[in-house]
Coordinates of all heavy atoms in Angstrom, one line a residue:
M1 N 68.9 108.9 105.8 CA 69.1 107.8 104.9 C 68.8 106.5 105.7 O 69.5 106.3 106.7 CB 70.5 107.8 104.3 CG 70.7 106.8 103.2 SD 72.2 107.2 102.4 CE 72.2 105.9 101.2
E2 N 67.9 105.7 105.3 CA 67.6 104.5 106.1 C 68.6 103.4 106.1 O 69.1 103.0 107.1 CB 66.2 103.9 105.6 CG 65.1 104.9 105.9 CD 63.8 104.2 105.5 OE1 63.7 103.0 105.3 OE2 62.8 105.0 105.4
S3 N 69.0 102.9 104.9 CA 70.1 101.9 104.9 C 71.1 102.3 103.9 O 70.8 102.6 102.7 CB 69.5 100.5 104.6 OG 69.0 100.5 103.3
A4 N 72.4 102.2 104.3 CA 73.5 102.6 103.4 C 74.2 101.3 103.0 O 74.8 100.6 103.8 CB 74.4 103.5 104.1
S5 N 74.1 101.0 101.7 CA 74.7 99.8 101.2 C 76.1 100.2 100.6 O 76.3 101.3 100.2 CB 73.9 99.1 100.1 OG 73.7 100.0 99.1
P6 N 77.1 99.3 100.7 CA 78.4 99.7 100.2 C 78.3 100.1 98.7 O 77.6 99.4 97.9 CB 79.2 98.4 100.4 CG 78.6 97.7 101.5 CD 77.1 98.0 101.4
G7 N 79.0 101.1 98.4 CA 79.0 101.6 97.0 C 78.0 102.7 96.7 O 78.0 103.3 95.7
A8 N 77.2 103.0 97.7 CA 76.2 104.1 97.6 C 76.8 105.5 97.6 O 77.7 105.7 98.3 CB 75.1 104.0 98.6
L9 N 76.3 106.4 96.7 CA 76.8 107.7 96.7 C 76.0 108.5 97.7 O 74.8 108.5 97.8 CB 76.6 108.3 95.3 CG 77.2 107.6 94.1 CD1 76.8 108.3 92.8 CD2 78.7 107.7 94.3
V10 N 76.8 109.2 98.6 CA 76.2 109.9 99.7 C 76.8 111.3 99.9 O 77.9 111.6 99.4 CB 76.3 109.1 101.1 CG1 75.5 107.8 101.0 CG2 77.8 108.9 101.4
K11 N 76.1 112.1 100.7 CA 76.6 113.4 101.2 C 76.8 113.2 102.7 O 75.9 112.7 103.3 CB 75.7 114.6 100.9 CG 75.8 115.0 99.4 CD 75.1 116.4 99.3 CE 75.4 116.9 97.9 NZ 76.7 117.5 97.8
V12 N 77.9 113.7 103.3 CA 78.2 113.5 104.7 C 78.0 114.9 105.3 O 78.8 115.8 105.0 CB 79.6 112.9 105.0 CG1 79.8 112.8 106.4 CG2 79.7 111.6 104.3
A13 N 77.1 115.1 106.3 CA 76.9 116.3 107.0 C 77.7 116.2 108.3 O 77.8 115.2 108.9 CB 75.4 116.6 107.3
G14 N 78.2 117.3 108.7 CA 79.0 117.4 110.0 C 79.5 118.7 110.2 O 79.0 119.7 109.6
P15 N 80.5 118.9 111.1 CA 81.1 120.2 111.3 C 81.8 120.7 110.0 O 82.6 119.9 109.4 CB 82.1 120.0 112.4 CG 82.3 118.6 112.5 CD 81.1 117.9 111.9
G16 N 81.4 121.8 109.5 CA 82.0 122.3 108.3 C 81.1 122.0 107.1 O 79.9 121.7 107.3
P17 N 81.6 122.1 105.9 CA 80.8 121.8 104.7 C 80.4 120.4 104.5 O 81.1 119.5 105.0 CB 81.7 122.3 103.6 CG 83.1 122.1 104.1 CD 83.0 122.4 105.6
E18 N 79.4 120.1 103.8 CA 79.0 118.8 103.4 C 80.0 118.2 102.5 O 80.5 118.9 101.6 CB 77.6 118.7 102.8 CG 76.5 118.8 103.7 CD 75.1 118.5 103.0 OE1 75.1 118.6 101.8 OE2 74.2 118.2 103.8
L19 N 80.4 116.9 102.7 CA 81.4 116.3 101.8 C 80.7 115.2 101.0 O 79.8 114.5 101.5 CB 82.5 115.7 102.7 CG 83.3 116.6 103.5 CD1 84.2 115.8 104.4 CD2 84.1 117.6 102.7
D20 N 81.1 115.1 99.7 CA 80.6 114.0 98.9 C 81.4 112.7 99.3 O 82.6 112.8 99.5 CB 80.8 114.3 97.4 CG 79.9 115.4 97.0 OD1 78.8 115.6 97.5 OD2 80.3 116.2 96.0
G21 N 80.7 111.6 99.3 CA 81.4 110.4 99.7 C 80.8 109.1 99.1 O 79.7 109.2 98.4
I22 N 81.4 108.0 99.3 CA 81.0 106.7 98.8 C 81.0 105.8 100.0 O 82.0 105.7 100.8 CB 81.8 106.1 97.7 CG1 81.8 107.1 96.5 CG2 81.4 104.7 97.3 CD1 82.7 106.7 95.4
V23 N 79.9 105.0 100.3 CA 79.9 104.1 101.4 C 80.8 102.9 101.2 O 80.8 102.3 100.1 CB 78.4 103.6 101.7 CG1 78.4 102.6 102.8 CG2 77.5 104.8 102.0
F24 N 81.7 102.7 102.2 CA 82.6 101.6 102.1 C 82.1 100.3 102.9 O 82.2 99.2 102.4 CB 84.0 102.0 102.6 CG 85.0 100.9 102.7 CD1 85.5 100.3 101.5 CD2 85.5 100.4 103.9 CE1 86.4 99.3 101.6 CE2 86.5 99.4 103.9 CZ 86.9 98.9 102.8
D25 N 81.6 100.6 104.1 CA 81.2 99.5 104.9 C 80.2 99.9 105.9 O 80.1 101.1 106.3 CB 82.5 98.9 105.7 CG 82.2 97.7 106.5 OD1 81.3 96.9 106.2 OD2 82.9 97.5 107.5
T26 N 79.4 99.0 106.4 CA 78.4 99.3 107.5 C 78.7 98.2 108.6 O 78.1 97.2 108.6 CB 77.0 99.2 107.0 OG1 76.8 97.9 106.4 CG2 76.6 100.3 106.1
P27 N 79.6 98.5 109.5 CA 80.0 97.5 110.6 C 78.9 97.3 111.6 O 78.8 96.2 112.2 CB 81.2 98.1 111.2 CG 81.2 99.6 110.9 CD 80.5 99.7 109.6
S28 N 78.0 98.2 111.8 CA 76.9 98.0 112.7 C 75.7 99.0 112.3 O 75.9 99.8 111.4 CB 77.3 98.3 114.2 OG 77.5 99.7 114.3
G29 N 74.6 98.9 113.0 CA 73.5 99.8 112.7 C 73.7 101.2 113.1 O 73.0 102.1 112.6
S30 N 74.7 101.5 113.9 CA 75.0 102.9 114.3 C 76.3 103.5 113.7 O 76.6 104.6 114.1 CB 75.1 102.9 115.9 OG 76.2 102.1 116.3
K31 N 76.9 102.7 112.8 CA 78.2 103.2 112.2 C 78.2 102.9 110.7 O 77.7 101.8 110.3 CB 79.4 102.5 112.8 CG 79.7 102.9 114.2 CD 81.1 102.3 114.6 CE 81.0 101.4 115.7 NZ 82.2 100.8 116.1
V32 N 78.7 103.9 110.0 CA 78.9 103.7 108.6 C 80.3 104.2 108.2 O 80.6 105.3 108.6 CB 77.8 104.4 107.7 CG1 78.1 104.2 106.2 CG2 76.5 103.9 108.1
V33 N 81.1 103.4 107.5 CA 82.4 103.9 107.1 C 82.3 104.4 105.7 O 81.8 103.7 104.8 CB 83.5 102.7 107.1 CG1 84.8 103.2 106.7 CG2 83.5 102.2 108.5
V34 N 82.7 105.7 105.5 CA 82.5 106.4 104.2 C 83.8 106.9 103.7 O 84.6 107.4 104.5 CB 81.5 107.6 104.4 CG1 81.3 108.3 103.1 CG2 80.2 107.1 105.0
A35 N 84.1 106.7 102.4 CA 85.3 107.3 101.8 C 84.9 108.7 101.4 O 84.0 108.9 100.7 CB 85.7 106.5 100.6
V36 N 85.7 109.7 101.9 CA 85.5 111.1 101.5 C 86.8 111.7 101.2 O 87.9 111.2 101.5 CB 84.8 111.9 102.7 CG1 83.5 111.4 103.0 CG2 85.7 111.9 103.9
V37 N 86.7 112.9 100.5 CA 88.0 113.7 100.2 C 88.0 114.8 101.2 O 87.2 115.8 101.1 CB 87.9 114.2 98.8 CG1 89.2 115.0 98.5 CG2 87.9 113.0 97.8
D38 N 89.0 114.8 102.1 CA 89.2 115.9 103.0 C 90.0 117.0 102.3 O 90.9 116.7 101.6 CB 90.1 115.4 104.2 CG 90.2 116.4 105.3 OD1 91.1 117.3 105.1 OD2 89.5 116.4 106.3
P39 N 89.6 118.2 102.4 CA 90.3 119.3 101.6 C 91.8 119.4 101.9 O 92.5 119.8 101.1 CB 89.5 120.6 102.0 CG 88.2 120.1 102.6 CD 88.4 118.8 103.1
V40 N 92.2 119.0 103.1 CA 93.6 119.2 103.5 C 94.3 117.9 103.3 O 95.5 117.9 102.8 CB 93.7 119.6 105.0 CG1 95.1 119.7 105.4 CG2 93.0 121.0 105.2
R41 N 93.8 116.7 103.7 CA 94.5 115.5 103.8 C 94.2 114.6 102.5 O 94.9 113.6 102.4 CB 94.1 114.7 105.0 CG 94.5 115.4 106.3 CD 94.0 114.8 107.5 NE 94.5 113.4 107.6 CZ 94.1 112.6 108.6 NH1 93.2 113.0 109.5 NH2 94.6 111.4 108.6
G42 N 93.3 114.9 101.7 CA 93.0 114.1 100.5 C 92.0 112.9 100.8 O 91.3 113.0 101.8
P43 N 91.9 111.9 100.0 CA 91.0 110.8 100.2 C 91.3 110.0 101.4 O 92.4 109.7 101.7 CB 91.2 109.9 98.9 CG 91.9 110.7 98.0 CD 92.7 111.7 98.7
M44 N 90.2 109.8 102.2 CA 90.4 109.0 103.5 C 89.0 108.4 103.9 O 88.0 108.7 103.3 CB 90.9 110.0 104.6 CG 89.9 111.1 104.8 SD 90.6 112.3 106.0 CE 90.2 111.5 107.5
F45 N 89.1 107.5 104.9 CA 87.9 106.9 105.4 C 87.4 107.7 106.7 O 88.3 108.1 107.5 CB 88.1 105.5 105.8 CG 88.2 104.6 104.5 CD1 89.5 104.0 104.3 CD2 87.2 104.4 103.7 CE1 89.6 103.2 103.1 CE2 87.3 103.6 102.6 CZ 88.6 103.0 102.3
R46 N 86.1 107.8 106.8 CA 85.6 108.5 108.0 C 84.4 107.7 108.5 O 83.6 107.3 107.7 CB 85.2 109.9 107.7 CG 84.7 110.7 108.9 CD 84.5 112.1 108.6 NE 85.8 112.8 108.3 CZ 85.9 114.0 107.8 NH1 84.8 114.7 107.5 NH2 87.1 114.5 107.6
T47 N 84.4 107.4 109.8 CA 83.2 106.7 110.4 C 82.2 107.7 110.9 O 82.6 108.6 111.7 CB 83.7 105.8 111.6 OG1 84.7 104.9 111.1 CG2 82.6 105.0 112.2
V48 N 81.0 107.5 110.4 CA 79.9 108.5 110.8 C 78.7 107.8 111.2 O 78.5 106.6 111.0 CB 79.6 109.5 109.6 CG1 80.8 110.3 109.2 CG2 79.2 108.7 108.4
S49 N 77.7 108.5 111.7 CA 76.4 108.0 112.0 C 75.6 107.9 110.8 O 75.7 108.8 109.9 CB 75.8 108.9 113.1 OG 74.4 108.5 113.3
P50 N 74.7 106.9 110.7 CA 73.8 106.9 109.5 C 72.9 108.1 109.3 O 72.5 108.5 108.3 CB 73.0 105.6 109.7 CG 73.7 104.8 110.6 CD 74.5 105.8 111.5
S51 N 72.6 108.8 110.5 CA 71.8 110.0 110.4 C 72.5 111.2 109.8 O 71.8 112.1 109.4 CB 71.3 110.3 111.8 OG 72.4 110.7 112.6
A52 N 73.8 111.1 109.7 CA 74.6 112.2 109.0 C 74.7 112.0 107.5 O 75.3 112.9 106.9 CB 76.0 112.2 109.6
L53 N 74.1 111.0 107.0 CA 74.2 110.7 105.5 C 72.9 111.1 104.8 O 71.8 111.0 105.3 CB 74.4 109.3 105.3 CG 75.7 108.7 105.9 CD1 75.8 107.2 105.6 CD2 76.9 109.4 105.3
S54 N 73.0 111.6 103.6 CA 71.9 111.8 102.7 C 72.3 111.3 101.3 O 73.5 111.4 100.9 CB 71.5 113.3 102.7 OG 72.6 114.1 102.2
E55 N 71.4 110.9 100.5 CA 71.7 110.3 99.2 C 72.0 111.5 98.2 O 71.6 112.6 98.4 CB 70.5 109.6 98.6 CG 70.3 108.2 99.3 CD 69.2 107.5 98.5 OE1 69.4 107.2 97.3 OE2 68.2 107.2 99.2
R56 N 72.9 111.1 97.2 CA 73.1 112.1 96.1 C 73.0 111.3 94.8 O 73.2 110.1 94.8 CB 74.5 112.7 96.2 CG 75.7 111.9 96.2 CD 76.9 112.7 96.3 NE 78.1 111.8 96.5 CZ 78.9 111.6 95.5 NH1 78.8 112.1 94.3 NH2 79.9 110.7 95.7
A57 N 72.5 111.9 93.8 CA 72.2 111.2 92.6 C 73.4 111.2 91.6 O 73.6 110.2 90.9 CB 71.0 111.9 91.9
E58 N 74.1 112.3 91.4 CA 75.1 112.4 90.4 C 76.5 112.2 90.9 O 76.7 112.4 92.1 CB 75.0 113.7 89.6 CG 75.3 114.9 90.3 CD 74.1 115.4 91.2 OE1 73.0 115.0 91.0 OE2 74.4 116.2 92.1
D59 N 77.4 111.8 90.0 CA 78.8 111.7 90.4 C 79.4 113.1 90.7 O 79.1 114.1 90.1 CB 79.6 111.0 89.3 CG 79.4 109.5 89.2 OD1 78.8 109.0 90.2 OD2 79.8 108.9 88.2
A60 N 80.4 113.1 91.6 CA 81.1 114.3 91.9 C 82.5 114.2 91.3 O 82.9 113.2 90.8 CB 81.2 114.5 93.4
G61 N 83.3 115.3 91.3 CA 84.6 115.3 90.7 C 85.6 114.4 91.4 O 86.5 113.9 90.8
H62 N 85.4 114.1 92.7 CA 86.4 113.3 93.4 C 86.0 111.8 93.5 O 86.8 111.1 94.1 CB 86.5 113.8 94.9 CG 87.0 115.2 95.0 ND1 88.2 115.6 94.6 CD2 86.4 116.3 95.5 CE1 88.4 116.9 94.8 NE2 87.3 117.4 95.3
D63 N 85.0 111.4 92.8 CA 84.6 110.0 92.9 C 85.6 109.0 92.4 O 85.7 107.9 92.9 CB 83.2 109.8 92.2 CG 82.1 110.3 93.1 OD1 82.3 110.6 94.3 OD2 80.9 110.4 92.5
A64 N 86.3 109.4 91.4 CA 87.4 108.5 90.8 C 88.4 108.2 91.9 O 88.9 107.1 92.0 CB 88.0 109.1 89.6
A65 N 88.9 109.3 92.6 CA 89.9 109.1 93.6 C 89.3 108.2 94.8 O 90.0 107.4 95.4 CB 90.3 110.4 94.2
L66 N 88.0 108.4 95.1 CA 87.4 107.6 96.2 C 87.3 106.1 95.8 O 87.5 105.2 96.6 CB 86.1 108.2 96.5 CG 86.1 109.6 97.1 CD1 84.6 110.0 97.4 CD2 86.9 109.6 98.4
R67 N 87.0 105.9 94.5 CA 86.9 104.5 94.0 C 88.2 103.8 94.0 O 88.4 102.6 94.3 CB 86.2 104.5 92.7 CG 84.7 104.7 92.7 CD 84.1 104.5 91.4 NE 82.6 104.7 91.5 CZ 82.0 105.8 91.1 NH1 82.7 106.8 90.6 NH2 80.7 105.9 91.3
L68 N 89.3 104.6 93.7 CA 90.7 104.0 93.8 C 91.0 103.7 95.2 O 91.6 102.6 95.5 CB 91.7 105.0 93.2 CG 91.7 105.1 91.7 CD1 92.6 106.2 91.3 CD2 92.1 103.8 91.1
L69 N 90.7 104.5 96.2 CA 90.9 104.3 97.6 C 90.2 103.0 98.1 O 90.8 102.1 98.7 CB 90.5 105.5 98.5 CG 90.6 105.3 100.0 CD1 92.0 105.1 100.4 CD2 89.9 106.4 100.7
I70 N 89.0 102.9 97.7 CA 88.2 101.7 98.0 C 88.7 100.4 97.4 O 88.8 99.4 98.0 CB 86.7 101.9 97.7 CG1 86.1 103.0 98.6 CG2 85.9 100.6 97.7 CD1 84.7 103.4 98.2
R71 N 89.2 100.5 96.1 CA 89.7 99.4 95.4 C 91.0 98.8 96.1 O 91.2 97.6 96.1 CB 89.9 99.7 94.0 CG 90.3 98.5 93.2 CD 90.5 98.7 91.7 NE 89.7 99.8 91.2 CZ 90.0 100.5 90.1 NH1 91.1 100.2 89.5 NH2 89.1 101.4 89.6
R72 N 91.9 99.7 96.5 CA 93.2 99.3 97.1 C 93.1 98.9 98.6 O 94.1 98.5 99.1 CB 94.2 100.3 96.8 CG 94.1 101.6 97.6 CD 95.4 102.5 97.4 NE 95.2 103.7 98.1 CZ 95.0 104.9 97.6 NH1 94.9 105.0 96.3 NH2 94.9 105.9 98.3
T73 N 92.0 99.1 99.2 CA 91.8 98.8 100.6 C 91.2 97.4 100.7 O 90.3 97.0 100.0 CB 90.8 99.8 101.3 OG1 91.3 101.1 101.1 CG2 90.7 99.5 102.8
P74 N 91.8 96.5 101.6 CA 91.3 95.2 101.8 C 89.8 95.2 102.2 O 89.4 96.1 102.9 CB 92.1 94.5 102.9 CG 93.3 95.4 103.0 CD 92.9 96.8 102.5
A75 N 89.1 94.2 101.9 CA 87.7 94.0 102.3 C 87.5 93.9 103.8 O 88.4 93.3 104.4 CB 87.0 92.8 101.6
P76 N 86.5 94.5 104.4 CA 86.4 94.5 105.8 C 86.0 93.0 106.3 O 85.3 92.3 105.5 CB 85.2 95.4 106.1 CG 84.5 95.6 104.8 CD 85.5 95.4 103.7
V77 N 86.4 92.7 107.5 CA 86.1 91.4 108.1 C 85.2 91.6 109.3 O 85.5 92.4 110.1 CB 87.4 90.7 108.5 CG1 87.1 89.3 109.1 CG2 88.3 90.5 107.3
H78 N 84.1 90.8 109.4 CA 83.2 91.0 110.5 C 83.0 89.7 111.3 O 83.2 88.6 110.7 CB 81.8 91.4 109.9 CG 81.8 92.7 109.2 ND1 81.9 93.9 109.9 CD2 81.8 93.1 107.9 CE1 81.9 94.9 109.1 NE2 81.8 94.4 107.8
G79 N 82.7 89.9 112.5 CA 82.2 88.8 113.4 C 83.1 87.7 113.6 O 84.3 87.9 114.1
A80 N 82.7 86.5 113.4 CA 83.5 85.3 113.8 C 84.7 85.1 113.0 O 85.6 84.3 113.4 CB 82.6 84.0 113.7
A81 N 84.9 85.7 111.9 CA 86.1 85.5 111.1 C 87.3 86.2 111.7 O 88.4 85.9 111.4 CB 85.8 86.1 109.7
R82 N 87.0 87.1 112.7 CA 88.1 87.8 113.4 C 88.7 86.9 114.5 O 88.0 86.1 115.0 CB 87.5 89.1 114.0 CG 88.5 90.2 114.0 CD 87.8 91.4 114.6 NE 87.0 92.1 113.6 CZ 86.1 93.0 113.9 NH1 85.9 93.3 115.1 NH2 85.4 93.5 113.0
G83 N 89.9 87.1 114.8 CA 90.5 86.3 115.9 C 91.0 85.0 115.5 O 91.3 84.7 114.4
G84 N 91.1 84.1 116.5 CA 91.7 82.8 116.3 C 90.7 81.7 115.9 O 90.2 81.6 114.8
G85 N 90.3 80.9 116.9 CA 89.3 79.8 116.7 C 87.9 80.3 116.8 O 87.6 81.4 117.2
A86 N 87.0 79.3 116.6 CA 85.6 79.6 116.7 C 85.0 79.4 118.1 O 83.9 79.4 118.3 CB 84.9 78.7 115.7
G87 N 85.8 79.2 119.1 CA 85.3 79.0 120.4 C 86.2 78.2 121.3 O 85.9 78.0 122.5
A88 N 87.2 77.6 120.8 CA 88.1 76.8 121.6 C 89.1 77.7 122.3 O 89.8 78.5 121.7 CB 88.9 75.8 120.8
P89 N 89.1 77.8 123.7 CA 90.0 78.7 124.4 C 91.4 78.2 124.3 O 91.7 77.0 124.1 CB 89.5 78.6 125.8 CG 88.8 77.3 126.0 CD 88.2 77.0 124.6
G90 N 92.4 79.1 124.5 CA 93.8 78.7 124.6 C 94.5 78.8 123.2 O 94.0 79.4 122.3
R91 N 95.6 78.1 123.1 CA 96.4 78.2 121.9 C 95.8 77.4 120.8 O 95.2 76.3 121.0 CB 97.8 77.7 122.2 CG 98.5 78.6 123.2 CD 99.9 78.1 123.5 NE 99.8 76.7 124.0 CZ 100.9 76.0 124.1 NH1 102.1 76.5 123.9 NH2 100.8 74.7 124.5
S92 N 95.9 77.8 119.6 CA 95.4 77.1 118.5 C 96.0 75.8 118.3 O 97.3 75.7 118.3 CB 95.5 78.0 117.3 OG 95.9 77.3 116.2
G93 N 95.3 74.7 118.1 CA 95.8 73.4 117.8 C 96.0 72.6 119.1 O 96.4 71.4 118.9
F94 N 95.9 73.1 120.3 CA 96.1 72.3 121.5 C 94.8 72.3 122.3 O 94.1 73.2 122.5 CB 97.2 73.0 122.4 CG 98.5 73.0 121.7 CD1 98.9 74.1 120.9 CD2 99.4 72.0 121.8 CE1 100.2 74.1 120.3 CE2 100.6 72.0 121.2 CZ 101.0 73.0 120.5
K95 N 94.4 71.0 122.7 CA 93.2 70.8 123.3 C 93.3 71.0 124.9 O 92.3 71.4 125.5 CB 92.6 69.4 123.1 CG 92.5 69.1 121.6 CD 91.3 69.8 121.1 CE 91.0 69.4 119.6 NZ 90.4 70.4 118.8
R96 N 94.4 70.7 125.4 CA 94.6 70.8 126.9 C 95.7 71.8 127.2 O 96.6 72.1 126.5 CB 95.0 69.5 127.5 CG 94.0 68.4 127.3 CD 94.4 67.2 128.1 NE 93.8 66.0 127.6 CZ 94.2 64.8 127.8 NH1 95.2 64.6 128.6 NH2 93.5 63.8 127.4
G97 N 95.6 72.3 128.5 CA 96.7 73.1 129.0 C 97.9 72.2 129.3 O 97.9 71.0 129.3
T98 N 99.0 72.8 129.7 CA 100.2 72.0 130.0 C 100.0 71.3 131.4 O 99.3 71.8 132.3 CB 101.4 73.0 130.1 OG1 101.2 74.0 131.1 CG2 101.7 73.6 128.8
A99 N 100.6 70.2 131.5 CA 100.5 69.4 132.7 C 101.4 70.0 133.8 O 102.4 70.7 133.5 CB 101.0 67.9 132.4
H100 N 101.1 69.6 135.1 CA 102.0 70.1 136.2 C 103.3 69.5 136.1 O 103.5 68.3 135.9 CB 101.3 69.8 137.5 CG 102.1 70.1 138.7 ND1 102.3 71.4 139.1 CD2 102.8 69.4 139.5 CE1 103.1 71.4 140.1 NE2 103.4 70.2 140.4
R101 N 104.4 70.3 136.3 CA 105.7 69.8 136.2 C 106.3 69.7 137.7 O 106.3 70.7 138.3 CB 106.6 70.7 135.4 CG 106.1 70.7 133.9 CD 106.9 71.5 133.1 NE 108.3 71.0 132.9 CZ 109.3 71.5 132.3 NH1 109.2 72.7 131.9 NH2 110.4 70.9 132.2
P102 N 106.6 68.5 138.1 CA 107.2 68.4 139.5 C 108.5 69.2 139.6 O 109.2 69.4 138.7 CB 107.4 66.9 139.7 CG 107.4 66.3 138.3 CD 106.6 67.3 137.4
T103 N 108.8 69.6 140.9 CA 110.0 70.4 141.1 C 111.2 69.5 141.4 O 112.2 70.1 141.7 CB 109.7 71.4 142.3 OG1 109.4 70.6 143.4 CG2 108.6 72.3 141.9
G104 N 111.1 68.2 141.4 CA 112.3 67.4 141.6 C 112.5 66.9 143.0 O 113.6 66.7 143.5
R105 N 111.4 66.6 143.7 CA 111.5 66.1 145.1 C 112.0 64.7 145.1 O 111.9 63.8 144.4 CB 110.1 66.1 145.7 CG 109.8 67.4 146.2 CD 108.6 67.3 147.1 NE 107.5 68.1 146.6 CZ 106.3 68.1 147.1 NH1 106.0 67.3 148.0 NH2 105.4 68.9 146.7

């Protein structure tokens, strides 16, 4: 599969049987986060390579549970929105470091 957009219906190949899933996020060109139903653990997210994905056309029986999992999970945050400021080092709101404090000579 060339490009996986969020919400796309996919099949995930890997060790064991192929699992039906829905793409949740594509954090980079080499990773795709997919919601799948694990036979033992239930609905969960799994990070896979885009080469392990293939398209599927019709809905599967577990798609309703996967859509509920995606709906109750916060939207992913990428890039500069993560962390504190946009480039100012140090504590937020302070432009300079603390001044030298004399020892009382």
Side-chain angles (χ1 to χ4, degrees):
M1 189 169 180
E2 291 186 17
S3 66
S5 61
L9 301 175
V10 295
K11 283 193 172 281
V12 180
E18 281 191 342
L19 299 173
D20 293 331
I22 300 176
V23 176
F24 175 66
D25 185 28
T26 53
S28 70
S30 62
K31 289 190 239 179
V32 178
V33 179
V34 181
V36 295
V37 176
D38 187 280
V40 177
R41 297 174 59 187
M44 60 185 281
F45 290 111
R46 186 172 289 172
T47 303
V48 297
S49 169
S51 63
L53 299 178
S54 60
E55 286 188 62
R56 64 181 170 102
E58 66 279 344
D59 284 348
H62 298 297
D63 283 349
L66 296 178
R67 286 190 178 100
L68 286 174
L69 174 66
I70 290 171
R71 188 179 325 157
R72 72 174 177 249
T73 304
V77 178
H78 296 285
R82 212 179 280 165
R91 298 179 304 172
S92 140
F94 295 93
K95 302 287 185 209
R96 297 186 201 167
T98 57
H100 174 72
R101 297 182 67 187
T103 57
R105 283 195 235 172

